[in-house]
Amino acid sequence: MSWNAVLKNLFHIALTLLGVGVVVFVLMRVVPGDPVAMMIPPGAGPEDIANLRAFYGLDKPIHEQFFIWLWHAVQGDFGVSIGLKQDVLGLILERLPATLELGFTALTLAVIAGGLLGISAASAQGRWLASVIDAITAFCQAIPDFLWGLIFILLFGVLWMWLPISGRLDPTIPFDAFTGFYFFESLLRGRWDVTASVFVHSLAPAVALAIPVSAMIARVLRASILEALSSDYVLLARLKGMSGARVLWVEALPNAVTPTLQLTGVQFAFMLGGTVLIERLFSYPGIGGLAINAVVARDLPLIQGIVLTFALLFVLINLLVEVLTLAINPRLRSST
């Protein structure tokens, strides 16, 4: 990737974040409801209300509020949470590692399951196994992740009680994480009890997030492999006497990975957004629960900070996918 492409991508990232900032800032101020009205104590007079609005900058015209907020935001200052009375950036950075670990766990499960199903369906094309896999993926994709979460809570948390359905770590296990990434940090420090507890606590919500994505990955990968198998270079490989397995794994699969990788990156970005409901269902201490509480309380600075964080993750993931795509398929570099 050339420097011009890098600069162009950085410009697109900045433009996207600016657009998201404008939209969320305006929407939060035109929807009905006054956040100050939810904060004033009983018996507060007009002067107290005016002072509180001035303290949060809500007494200024909306365009002035936006430019003040934007100036502070580019310096990493997203303001103070109205409801929690804490620094917004600090709150987000405290919860973000939990959400990222949950998202990466779900992505890993989705890629493994979707990859195996997609390859199996492509290799069994025309046989009963391919039809069975098609039915399974269609069923899994039709049910949204939050409904899978409710099913798992009922099955594994209420009926059979095989898995924990709340929290991130067993409260009886002491562990102070310096980075907030419990799973990776516990692996590095050799705290296997923490690693096991974190994995078990994240398993049900991660599987709920992974099931619809794995079904989509399987369907796209299968279609890409079948398209690659009908290509001229694959037919030539068959004429040279290559076995079916070698043709599939060496010739077809590497060329079928590119569209699947692009889809996986996009779905991972949407998956992180989908953690909002899943984290709420499983009482998982990530950004999701923080976002819902902020919306209910009309906590404008916190909502704006969370939305910008998700937008930044989305564009960074898409940039990473583009880089990986060019690394896997060098022929695409000439068009960038």
Side-chain angles (χ1 to χ4, degrees), residues 27-79:
L27 284 179
M28 287 297 100
R29 281 155 178 79
V30 299
V31 295
D34 186 359
V36 173
M38 305 180 68
M39 301 171 53
I40 55 175
E47 185 178 351
D48 297 323
I49 298 175
N51 291 335
L52 195 59
R53 294 183 65 84
F55 177 78
Y56 287 103
L58 300 175
D59 59 331
K60 297 180 175 61
I62 189 170
H63 64 278
E64 290 187 23
Q65 294 183 42
F66 174 74
F67 285 114
I68 293 173
W69 172 78
L70 181 62
W71 172 249
H72 288 287
V74 295
Q75 302 176 67
D77 179 12
F78 292 99

Side-chain angles (χ1 to χ4, degrees), residues 88-97 287 290 302 305-306 309:
V88 168
L89 184 60
L91 286 170
I92 293 174
L93 293 179
E94 180 183 355
R95 300 287 193 100
L96 184 59
I287 290 185
L290 192 67
L302 187 54
I306 291 174
T309 300

Side-chain angles (χ1 to χ4, degrees), residues 117 197 257 311:
L117 287 174
S197 179
V257 166

Side-chain angles (χ1 to χ4, degrees), residues 251-321:
E251 299 294 336
L253 186 59
N255 291 282
V257 166
T258 299
T260 308
L261 175 63
Q262 294 172 338
L263 170 75
T264 302
V266 173
Q267 289 302 312
F268 179 54
F270 283 113
M271 182 190 293
L272 289 178
T275 58
V276 173
L277 289 177
I278 292 296
E279 288 180 1
R280 188 69 167 186
L281 286 175
F282 288 91
S283 300
Y284 194 84
I287 290 185
L290 192 67
I292 292 178
N293 292 334
V295 171
V296 172
R298 286 298 306 278
D299 195 333
L300 302 185
L302 187 54
I303 294 173
Q304 292 160 186
I306 291 174
V307 172
L308 273 186
T309 300
F310 278 121
L312 179 61
L313 289 173
F314 187 89
V315 294
L316 289 179
I317 290 170
N318 280 279
L319 179 61
L320 178 61
V321 169

Side-chain angles (χ1 to χ4, degrees), residues 125-153:
Q125 177 66 15
R127 300 199 296 271
W128 64 269
L129 180 59
S131 301
V132 171
I133 294 177
D134 280 345
I136 292 174
T137 55
F139 175 76
C140 292
Q141 193 174 350
I143 300 178
D145 49 20
F146 71 88
L147 189 53
W148 282 114
L150 291 174
I151 293 172
F152 291 158
I153 289 174

Side-chain angles (χ1 to χ4, degrees), residues 183-219:
F183 186 83
F184 298 106
E185 189 171 332
S186 62
L187 281 176
L188 294 175
R189 293 166 59 179
R191 289 292 306 273
W192 312 119
D193 56 337
V194 176
T195 303
S197 179
V198 171
F199 177 75
V200 170
H201 278 76
S202 66
L203 189 57
V207 173
L209 286 168
I211 287 178
V213 178
S214 64
M216 192 173 299
I217 291 174
R219 295 170 75 89

Side-chain angles (χ1 to χ4, degrees), residues 2 8 13 15 22 39 44 48 76 99 120 140 144 152 175 199 221 234 243 296 301 304 306-307 312 323 336:
S2 65
K8 183 174 70 174
I13 289 174
L15 193 62
V22 171
M39 301 171 53
D48 297 323
T99 296
S120 300
C140 292
F152 291 158
F175 185 69
F199 177 75
L221 181 59
V234 172
S243 63
V296 172
Q304 292 160 186
I306 291 174
V307 172
L312 179 61
V323 172
T336 60

